[in-house]
Amino acid sequence: MEQGTLVNDEMRAALGDEIDWRTSYPVDASDLRRWSIAVHYPEAPPRRFLNAEHYGGLVAPDEFNPFAWQVARRRRPVVVPKARDTDRPEKVHGIRGPGLRHQVAGGIEATYGESIRVGDVVTSRTRLVAYVEKQGRLGPMLLTTTEDRWTNQDGAFVRLLRETSIRYDA
């Protein structure tokens, strides 16, 4: 396969489109306490994650995921691909992917805004933002970047996750 042929017209047209969304149940104090205890184990978590009285209410650690256990509402994809399907970003959107056989994580970066608090309902919206084709040691590679933007029930920015995956044939 020659350079510049991995991204088809449907994929180019989908750039910027929302490919997934989900809404959490209201965050519970027990969720925040358990998550804090788990991520700090075997040490005790900082008191601000356990004691609401002194900090204006419980706040979640930055890494808290309100979608970890259950999702209240979610977009139903056009096609439900297998979890390890390398064409997953395209298939959930109902378009044809590049058909590459292998995929590895290419990196993640997070930007944090408002802390998640008890009672917050978080909405996640994931968009397909970039395709970059490169030539690797094993042949053509496709770097695919998605952005997952979280907001709370007031529309305040909570978190932005940019994830890149690397797909290739070997």
Side-chain angles (χ1 to χ4, degrees):
M1 196 174 280
E2 52 184 88
Q3 183 84 11
T5 61
L6 298 175
V7 181
N8 63 49
D9 290 338
E10 288 179 303
M11 291 166 63
R12 270 188 216 81
L15 285 172
D17 286 357
E18 188 175 278
I19 59 173
D20 191 19
W21 66 262
R22 56 197 171 158
T23 302
S24 75
Y25 285 104
V27 173
D28 185 75
S30 291
D31 295 335
L32 298 184
R33 286 187 183 107
R34 278 185 265 173
W35 188 280
S36 299
I37 290 166
V39 298
H40 288 93
Y41 183 84
E43 304 298 322
R47 292 199 47 81
R48 72 180 178 275
F49 300 136
L50 299 176
N51 188 341
E53 296 171 22
H54 295 57
Y55 298 96
L58 286 180
V59 296
D62 285 342
E63 304 82 14
F64 177 73
N65 182 352
F67 308 105
W69 296 283
Q70 192 71 14
V71 175
R73 291 184 319 150
R74 162 171 238 146
R75 172 186 186 262
R76 296 289 171 221
V78 176
V79 174
V80 181
K82 293 179 181 174
R84 296 190 183 270
D85 189 329
T86 59
D87 283 345
R88 186 175 181 79
E90 293 79 28
K91 284 183 179 176
V92 297
H93 201 53
I95 62 175
R96 183 175 46 91
L100 299 170
R101 293 183 297 175
H102 304 286
Q103 179 171 294
V104 295
I108 186 170
E109 67 181 72
T111 305
Y112 299 100
E114 295 290 319
S115 292
I116 296 174
R117 296 180 174 276
V118 173
D120 279 356
V121 174
V122 178
T123 298
S124 157
R125 296 189 180 282
T126 304
R127 292 181 316 116
L128 190 56
V129 295
Y131 288 117
V132 176
E133 295 184 54
K134 292 191 174 199
Q135 190 64 33
R137 212 175 46 218
L138 299 173
M141 300 184 311
L142 181 62
L143 283 70
T144 304
T145 303
T146 59
E147 283 186 353
D148 186 8
R149 183 180 186 83
W150 294 9
T151 55
N152 66 20
Q153 68 283 349
D154 299 323
F157 167 73
V158 172
R159 183 182 311 167
L160 178 68
L161 297 170
R162 283 182 61 90
E163 294 185 63
T164 300
S165 65
I166 302 168
R167 296 183 271 180
Y168 63 97
D169 272 333

